[in-house]
């Protein structure tokens, strides 16, 4: 029995064919990208439209929430920093979530957006979710892990990044 080395191991570009396995591989991160993008857009809008959240104190306020988690967080100094201006911190998180969600959903600067999402999730895990027992009840750690493949791979298909990359590739071929 003779064995040969397979030389066609690259994934073809969009529109170049390929079997169902190639298509599944190419689009594998798309559901994760859609979920994280929509979720972070929703989270940002939810914070911005919740009249109780963007307050220094009161039921459901960012200030009271941060004071409640301060002593149980992994990094109390980070919570103290947010308590210097709870409303400003709330707006920063909300607009950060919006930017991350939009960038992820559109696939624009996707790796940077995913890194932003991971940093937001990490900061929330180390502060708000840290006291969850057992640790896997805190959802911020799962979000942090979910961002990792998007940091590594970006948004290779159905994204503005892919369209811009294709356009640059076409221009560079035209200049030769």
């Amino acid at each position: 029995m003779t064995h040969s080395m397979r030389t066609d191991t690259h994934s073809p570009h969009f529109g170049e064919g390929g079997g169902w396995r190639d298509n599944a591989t190419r689009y594998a991160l798309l559901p994760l990208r859609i979920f994280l993008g929509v979720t972070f857009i929703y989270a940002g809008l939810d914070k911005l439209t919740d009249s109780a959240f963007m307050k220094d104190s009161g039921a459901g306020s960012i200030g009271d929430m941060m004071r409640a988690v301060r002593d149980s967080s992994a990094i109390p100094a980070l919570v103290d920093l947010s308590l210097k201006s709870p409303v400003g911190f709330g707006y920063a998180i909300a607009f950060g979530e919006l930017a991350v969600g939009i960038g992820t959903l559109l696939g624009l600067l996707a790796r940077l957006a995913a890194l932003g999402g991971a940093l937001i999730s990490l900061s929330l895990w180390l502060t708000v979710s840290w006291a969850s027992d057992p640790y896997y009840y805190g959802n911020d750690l799962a979000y942090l892990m979910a961002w990792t493949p998007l940091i590594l791979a970006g948004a290779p298909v159905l994204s503005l990044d892919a369209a811009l990359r294709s356009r640059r590739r076409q221009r560079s071929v035209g200049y030769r």
Side-chain angles (χ1 to χ4, degrees), residues 58-96:
S61 70
I62 180 73
D64 279 3
M65 181 182 70
M66 297 311 289
R67 280 186 284 280
V69 301
R70 192 229 175 257
D71 293 333
S72 63
S73 72
I75 307 175
L78 188 59
V79 178
D80 290 340
L81 183 64
S82 72
L83 284 171
K84 289 183 182 198
S85 177
V87 174
F89 177 73
Y91 277 112
I93 290 291
F95 285 121

Side-chain angles (χ1 to χ4, degrees), residues 36-60:
L36 289 172
V38 168
T39 301
F40 267 59
I41 289 170
Y42 181 83
L45 290 175
D46 189 43
K47 287 173 182 64
L48 290 172
T49 58
D50 183 352
S51 60
F53 184 77
M54 292 296 180
K55 295 195 183 216
D56 286 337
S57 62

